[in-house]
Amino acid sequence: MGTVALAVTDGMLHFELSVAYEVFGSAPDDVPGPWYDLVVCGPGAVRAGRFRLEPDHGLDRLPDADTVIVPGWADIDQEPPAELVDAVRAAHEAGARVASLCTGAFVLAAAGLLDGRRATTHWAHTHVLAARYPQVTVDPDVLYVDNGSVLTSAGKAAAMDLCLHIVRLDHGSSVTNAAARRLVVPPHRDGGQAQFVTTPAPAPESHPLAELFPWVIERLDQPMTVEDLARQARMSSRNLGRHFRSVTGTTPLQWLVTQRIRHAQALLETTDDSVDAIAAATGMGTATTLRRHFHRTVGVPPDAYRRTFRSRVRPGPDGGPPGAGPAAERP
């Protein structure tokens, strides 16, 4: 799926660097086609935290990459190195998809790649990013933002979310699920999910919704209301809503719609079922209802989503690797 280049220099955060290396550096089992060619590009030997790193190439190789990942930048009080900023800008101008992890957004902003765009970074530093780069629309409440050729993530675990999101764009949900299983992490969290919730999630053994979630997932083809979920959880609708907000950061109805949309995405990627059939299988009722919710949530209609992802993950007519497919239109 092309070359992924990690753009490194002194002062990079080693956690985000390691996340990207793990996701893009090792293919999960049974990938139907080639994996990424991962390279590390830097100005020479660099230090990431307490670690010394020897890059494969200089920063001048970034424009040759298909995707450039900029890990977190440790000292946001300092301007990132000009040579890194220039190389990242040149890579984007050459057509590379550029993604920042955590405070790597400060590098993208310095390169002008976030001007007029929505972006995010670690919640503790969003106010600094917004003040320093007022031409950037900074969203402090999301895990990641996908602008197509420019992507940004929040901190730490959200870096993994964005990297798996990129894998999903390139390979589809089945391969992403396999990659997530290898890494022992959830395969997908919506980019619009809050970076944190005010009430911590309960421990798994005391999770008040632990039995409800799988019960719902097994019945997505059936009509369900919030009252149905409350009855199954043996609590009032108000109490259910309070627990959902604590555990998921959203409402029961929105969570249910999201599960239906995720199931629809998987069916669009892996089956030839009609949109009407998928609407029935996901409990959306009609194709019109599915299209409305799908477009609002994903940003493209179901048919466009299928064309994009099926062209990426299906083998070519000669049994060779999957085609690149058109880039998905993003919301």
Side-chain angles (χ1 to χ4, degrees):
M1 297 302 296
T3 300
V4 172
L6 301 185
V8 301
T9 189
D10 282 335
M12 288 293 175
L13 298 174
H14 63 272
F15 179 86
E16 287 77 6
L17 177 62
S18 300
V19 164
Y21 198 93
E22 280 294 321
V23 172
F24 299 111
S26 300
D29 294 336
D30 302 323
V31 173
W35 194 242
Y36 303 97
D37 178 19
L38 179 68
V39 296
V40 180
C41 299
V46 301
R47 298 200 67 85
R50 296 184 178 181
F51 301 96
R52 186 175 185 273
L53 185 65
E54 291 280 355
D56 304 307
H57 305 286
L59 289 171
D60 59 338
R61 290 291 298 275
L62 289 186
D64 297 331
D66 298 287
T67 301
V68 172
I69 306 292
V70 182
W73 175 248
D75 191 356
I76 63 168
D77 293 330
Q78 300 294 324
E79 288 293 326
E83 58 183 339
L84 174 64
V85 172
D86 292 343
V88 169
R89 183 189 301 115
H92 184 260
E93 291 174 350
R97 173 176 57 187
V98 178
S100 65
L101 308 180
C102 192
T103 50
F106 284 82
V107 178
L108 271 59
L113 303 189
L114 302 183
D115 290 357
R117 288 187 165 106
R118 183 167 155 262
T120 194
T121 188
H122 191 291
W123 62 267
H125 305 299
T126 51
H127 66 290
V128 179
L129 184 65
R132 189 174 301 169
Y133 302 100
Q135 62 273 42
V136 180
T137 302
V138 179
D139 190 338
D141 298 322
V142 296
L143 295 177
Y144 56 84
V145 177
D146 181 347
N147 287 300
S149 64
V150 178
L151 306 90
T152 55
S153 86
K156 302 305 177 185
M160 179 71 76
D161 292 316
L162 180 56
C163 289
L164 288 175
H165 172 70
I166 291 173
V167 173
R168 194 171 197 279
L169 291 174
D170 295 340
H171 291 276
S173 60
S174 296
V175 171
T176 307
N177 290 344
R181 283 194 299 271
R182 181 178 65 82
L183 297 165
V184 199
V185 296
H188 178 69
R189 290 198 297 169
D190 293 324
Q193 184 173 323
Q195 289 195 29
F196 64 92
V197 292
T198 54
T199 305
E205 60 271 15
S206 63
H207 194 316
L209 304 178
E211 295 181 3
L212 178 64
F213 287 164
W215 183 86
V216 172
I217 297 300
E218 292 173 1
R219 294 166 175 79
L220 288 176
D221 61 328
Q222 303 174 19
M224 278 181 278
T225 65
V226 173
E227 288 72 24
D228 293 330
L229 270 60
R231 191 177 305 110
Q232 178 63 27
R234 296 183 294 278
M235 60 181 68
S236 68
S237 297
R238 175 177 292 183
N239 199 24
L240 180 77
R242 185 162 53 248
H243 282 302
F244 257 90
R245 180 65 65 180
S246 171
V247 173
T248 71
T250 189
T251 66
L253 182 58
Q254 185 56 55
W255 180 86
L256 178 58
V257 170
T258 299
Q259 305 318 304
R260 296 191 191 281
I261 294 299
R262 288 181 183 173
H263 188 33
Q265 288 176 300
L267 293 174
L268 288 165
E269 293 177 25
T270 60
T271 75
D272 293 315
D273 294 350
S274 67
V275 175
D276 288 284
I278 292 175
T282 57
M284 287 293 188
T286 68
T288 299
T289 301
L290 173 60
R291 287 190 174 97
R292 182 173 69 252
H293 285 289
F294 196 96
H295 196 290
R296 184 177 62 190
T297 301
V298 181
V300 294
D303 296 307
Y305 182 89
R306 168 174 272 166
R307 286 194 301 271
T308 297
F309 280 93
R310 292 301 289 273
S311 65
R312 279 176 170 152
V313 301
R314 274 184 163 176
D318 59 353
E329 179 184 350
R330 304 303 303 159

